[in-house]
Amino acid sequence: MLKQISLGASLLMLLVGCQSTPEAAPPFELIGTWQIEEAAGKPLIDYSPAQLTFAADNKFSGNNSCNNIFGDYVHEDSVLRLSPAGSTKKACVDALMQQEQRIMQVLTRISRLRFTQGKLILLDERGHKQLVLSRR
């Protein structure tokens, strides 16, 4: 009986030693280009060029569906604040112009971010989703 208990304990220790630990999620990296998928709760028009690029020097640039945009940002932990500085002024079809206005309105509301399932979620002060982006 003692042999069986000893053998069982040895097997249990062997199995515990062979367990693999789950790999940690890769660290979140804001720097890079993100495709805007949703703005103010509405999906973007298919094939829209809307995107944001975050650079290491705390500058952002991108496209708001029709025009190019640029500005500064502050990012620390879950805080993200965008300060749009300007954009180009070309005209596009009405649907893209409306979408552009929606994106420009939410940019100034953003105060926090969350990274979930490969998506970058930009939130306002109350935690409401303003933009959903995916890595490009």
Side-chain angles (χ1 to χ4, degrees):
M1 178 76 166
L2 188 56
K3 278 186 173 183
Q4 290 175 336
I5 292 174
S6 178
L7 181 60
S10 296
L11 284 173
L12 182 61
M13 289 175 60
L14 181 63
L15 288 173
V16 169
C18 290
Q19 281 185 334
S20 62
T21 56
E23 289 185 34
F28 165 73
E29 180 61 54
L30 179 65
I31 306 300
T33 300
W34 296 86
Q35 186 73 35
I36 302 173
E37 295 181 355
E38 182 181 306
K42 295 181 182 177
L44 266 56
I45 297 168
D46 288 343
Y47 307 109
S48 169
Q51 65 183 19
L52 292 176
T53 299
F54 295 94
D57 63 356
N58 290 72
K59 304 278 185 200
F60 78 89
S61 61
N63 185 291
N64 58 16
S65 295
C66 183
N67 286 286
N68 294 324
I69 55 175
F70 55 92
D72 299 315
Y73 73 92
V74 174
H75 173 232
E76 187 175 327
D77 297 323
S78 65
V79 172
L80 178 67
R81 299 212 187 266
L82 303 177
S83 299
S87 70
T88 57
K89 302 288 184 198
K90 67 181 178 183
C92 293
V93 297
D94 287 343
L96 286 177
M97 294 298 288
Q98 290 170 3
Q99 182 170 277
E100 172 182 275
Q101 289 173 358
R102 197 166 72 241
I103 290 170
M104 292 305 288
Q105 287 172 350
V106 301
L107 286 179
T108 59
R109 293 184 204 150
I110 293 166
S111 63
R112 295 187 297 163
L113 61 79
R114 183 175 72 221
F115 188 68
T116 306
Q117 298 177 335
K119 303 283 184 186
L120 175 61
I121 314 296
L122 303 184
L123 309 159
D124 65 13
E125 280 291 327
R126 294 183 175 171
H128 296 123
K129 231 187 307 184
Q130 298 299 309
L131 292 174
V132 176
L133 305 99
S134 59
R135 176 81 66 188
R136 188 148 178 232

